[in-house]
Amino acid sequence: MVAPLKVGIAGLGTVGAEVVRLIERQGRNLAVRCGRGVKVVAVTARSKAKKRGLDLRGIAWAKNALDLAGDPNIDCFVELMGGSGDPALSAIEAALKSGKSVVTANKALIASHGLRLAKSAEQHGGALNFEAAVGAAIPIIKTLREGLAATDIDRVYGILNGTCNYILTRMEQEGLSFDECLKDAQRLGYAEANPSFDVDGHDTAQKLAILASLAFGTKVAQSAVYVEGISSIAPEDLRAAEQLGYRVKLLGVAVRTTKGIEQRVHPTMVLKSSAIAQVMGVTNAVTIDGRGIPPITLVGPGAGGAATASAVVADIADIARGIRVEPFGRPLAQLRKTTKAPMERHEGGYYIRLMARDLAGTAAAIATRLAEQKISIESIVQRHADGVDANSKAGKAAPVPVILITYATSEDAVYRALHAVQRDKVISGRPQVIRIEKN
C-alpha cells in the first residue's frame, strides 16, 4: 500500500473549511483516482475557537502558518490565508525550501511573487500549483499550461471578475445606474465594503498577468497590465450597445502583437453573438485563440467556497498522483521579460459617445477632426433626449447624444481627434470611449 499524501492547510475560512470537507467526502474516490489516499493531518488559522462546522478530531493544530510549513509530518502545504505578502509568502517559501509541494488559491501572491516562488520550487523539487487563483472551478491554468502545450496562442481574454459582471448585467437588464447596482452587489455579498479592488479592475489585472505568463511564456508582471475600471459606464452606453448589436463587459485581454504582448483590462464592447457576451451575472469565462484550432471558451463559477475548493483539491490530487509541472509551463530561465505596452499604440474599433451642441456646423466639425486623424466611421447615430422636441428652441440648445462606431484605428488617433473636437467647443462634457474587441 502507498502511504497517503499528508496535507497541512493554513487558513480555515470559507474555502479552507470546504477543502477539509471535500477531502473527507471524496476520500475514497481520491484514493482510487490518485493511486493513494489524501489525508488532512494538520491545520492552522487565526482562531482555534471559531465554530466552523468541521470535525477536526485527530488533526493537529499548528501554532501558525510558518510552523505548519515546516512540519515534517506533512507532504503538501496548502495556503488559503490570502494576501500578497507575509505570512503567506514566508510560509510558502519555507514549505518549498523543505522539499514540500504547495497548493495555493492566492492570486495576489502569485501575481506579485510567482517568479520567486517558482524558482524555489524549481530548486527544491516540489510542485507549486495554483489553479484556484484564476477562475476558481474553471480549469484555465491546466488548460494553458498542459492541455494546449503544443499550441501557439495568439490571444487569451475573458471575464475574470464576477462582481463587475454582475453589476454590468444588472445595469443592462434593468437600466440601473452603476451606483445602484454596486450597492445591491454589496448587499448580496458579491462586492466588498470597499469595492475598488474589483470595480477598478485590479483583481482582473492580477489574474490576467498570470494567464499572460502561461499563454506567452513571459514573466509575470502585473505592472505591465493597463487597467481601467467600470465606474464610468452609464446606462445610456449599455442601451446604445444593445441597439448596435454589442454588450459591454469588463475584459482582461492579453494578445500577441507585432509590438509585443499587449495586456489590458478595461470595459469592452463585444458582439452579442459571441460566446463571451452570453456570460451573465457572477459567472466567469475565458476564451483562448490558438493557431490551428477554433476559439475555446471555458465558462463557470469564478469564486465561492465550493468552486474554489474543487480547484484546490484537484491540485492536491495531481500532487498525490506524482504529477509535477513547471509552475508557469516552462523552466524559469525560459520565461521572457515583458514590458507595459503603451495603450496609445492599441489598434481596434471604438465606440464614442459625444454630447454634441445642437448648432449648425457641429457635425461637420466632428467629421473634420476625425478625418484629419484618418479615422473611418462604421456607423453614426444621433438622437435627441427622450421627451425633447427636436424642433423646439430648447431642443436645439440642448446637447444631443451622438454615438460613433469606428473602424480599426489607433488609440492615439482617437484621442487626438477628440481633443481637437473639445478645443472646437462643439461638444459638452467628456467624451465616453469604449474599446471594441474583435471576436
Side-chain angles (χ1 to χ4, degrees):
M1 291 288 291
V2 180
L5 181 78
K6 293 177 287 186
V7 175
I9 300 175
L12 290 176
T14 302
V15 176
E18 188 58 33
V19 169
V20 175
R21 294 188 193 99
L22 190 56
I23 290 174
E24 176 65 26
R25 192 164 62 245
Q26 292 292 327
R28 183 171 296 180
N29 285 336
L30 286 169
V32 170
R33 291 181 175 186
C34 301
R36 66 189 294 196
V38 175
K39 185 177 181 182
V40 179
V41 299
V43 296
T44 190
R46 280 180 292 188
S47 170
K48 189 174 182 179
K50 182 179 177 181
K51 301 295 183 184
R52 298 179 173 87
L54 296 175
D55 182 1
L56 297 177
R57 289 175 296 180
I59 297 176
W61 189 280
K63 185 171 67 173
N64 55 50
L66 204 56
D67 281 359
L68 180 62
D71 186 343
N73 293 316
I74 71 168
D75 307 308
C76 174
F77 177 73
V78 179
E79 183 276 309
L80 299 172
M81 300 177 291
S84 61
D86 290 333
L89 177 59
S90 294
I92 289 178
E93 283 195 308
L96 291 170
K97 286 176 181 177
S98 67
K100 295 178 177 66
S101 289
V102 169
V103 173
T104 180
N106 193 334
K107 64 181 176 295
L109 192 68
I110 297 300
S112 300
H113 303 292
L115 299 177
R116 173 175 162 181
L117 296 175
K119 182 177 181 180
S120 185
E122 210 173 76
Q123 289 175 337
H124 299 285
L128 174 62
N129 293 348
F130 46 86
E131 183 67 67
V134 181
I138 303 173
I140 184 60
I141 302 295
K142 188 178 287 288
T143 299
L144 289 171
R145 188 172 60 189
E146 299 159 54
L148 296 176
T151 301
D152 285 328
I153 294 170
D154 290 320
R155 180 175 59 160
V156 57
Y157 65 99
I159 298 165
L160 301 173
N161 184 274
T163 300
C164 291
N165 205 42
Y166 171 83
I167 290 171
L168 291 172
T169 298
R170 290 286 305 280
M171 288 178 68
E172 176 190 340
Q173 293 179 342
E174 301 176 42
L176 302 174
S177 70
F178 169 80
D179 288 335
E180 288 174 304
C181 291
L182 174 57
K183 287 177 182 176
D184 203 39
Q186 289 171 318
R187 180 181 62 81
L188 294 169
Y190 297 146
E192 302 290 339
N194 180 359
S196 60
F197 188 70
D198 289 322
V199 300
D200 290 344
H202 301 297
D203 173 77
T204 299
Q206 289 182 343
K207 295 170 182 176
L208 182 68
I210 295 168
L211 295 184
S213 176
L214 291 159
F216 302 111
T218 55
K219 294 182 178 180
V220 182
Q222 188 182 344
S223 60
V225 183
Y226 171 85
V227 185
E228 194 178 300
I230 64 170
S231 59
S232 67
I233 302 299
E236 49 264 44
D237 297 316
L238 302 177
R239 287 195 295 270
E242 163 76 23
Q243 293 164 2
L244 293 164
Y246 292 96
R247 185 164 275 150
V248 178
K249 299 292 184 183
L250 181 76
L251 293 189
V253 182
V255 59
R256 191 193 304 273
T257 74
T258 56
K259 307 174 186 72
I261 305 302
E262 187 178 272
Q263 300 179 58
R264 46 191 167 86
V265 173
H266 51 74
T268 312
M269 283 202 174
V270 293
L271 285 171
K272 288 179 68 178
S273 59
S274 66
I276 210 87
Q278 313 309 313
V279 179
M280 309 297 275
V282 295
T283 306
N284 284 195
V286 183
T287 295
I288 303 163
D289 288 341
R291 297 178 195 175
I293 60 172
I296 297 170
T297 300
L298 305 178
V299 181
T308 306
S310 72
V312 170
V313 176
D315 276 348
I316 295 171
D318 273 354
I319 292 166
R321 291 185 181 105
I323 297 171
R324 184 196 176 281
V325 296
E326 299 294 346
F328 293 98
R330 298 165 174 81
L332 205 59
Q334 300 300 316
L335 296 177
R336 306 187 314 276
K337 185 178 180 181
T338 187
T339 56
K340 190 170 187 175
M343 280 304 292
E344 301 83 49
R345 297 184 186 178
H346 170 70
E347 294 185 357
Y350 288 82
Y351 159 96
I352 302 170
R353 176 169 56 82
L354 306 170
M355 294 304 294
R357 299 187 186 282
D358 199 4
L359 302 169
T362 291
I366 294 171
T368 297
R369 294 307 187 185
L370 293 170
E372 287 172 352
Q373 300 302 326
K374 298 181 172 55
I375 298 172
S376 297
I377 301 301
E378 181 179 336
S379 67
I380 180 168
V381 177
Q382 178 176 332
R383 61 170 66 86
H384 287 270
D386 294 343
V388 174
D389 182 356
N391 296 315
S392 71
K393 185 176 180 181
K396 290 182 179 179
V400 178
V402 175
I403 295 164
L404 311 169
I405 299 292
T406 78
Y407 285 105
T409 184
S410 72
E411 182 122 344
D412 189 42
V414 168
Y415 280 101
R416 282 201 303 266
L418 293 179
H419 288 153
V421 169
Q422 287 179 299
R423 287 196 301 270
D424 291 338
K425 298 182 179 180
V426 294
I427 63 172
S428 62
R430 183 178 179 181
Q432 173 70 296
V433 178
I434 302 175
R435 299 167 191 89
I436 298 172
E437 191 68 17
K438 185 178 178 182
N439 299 113

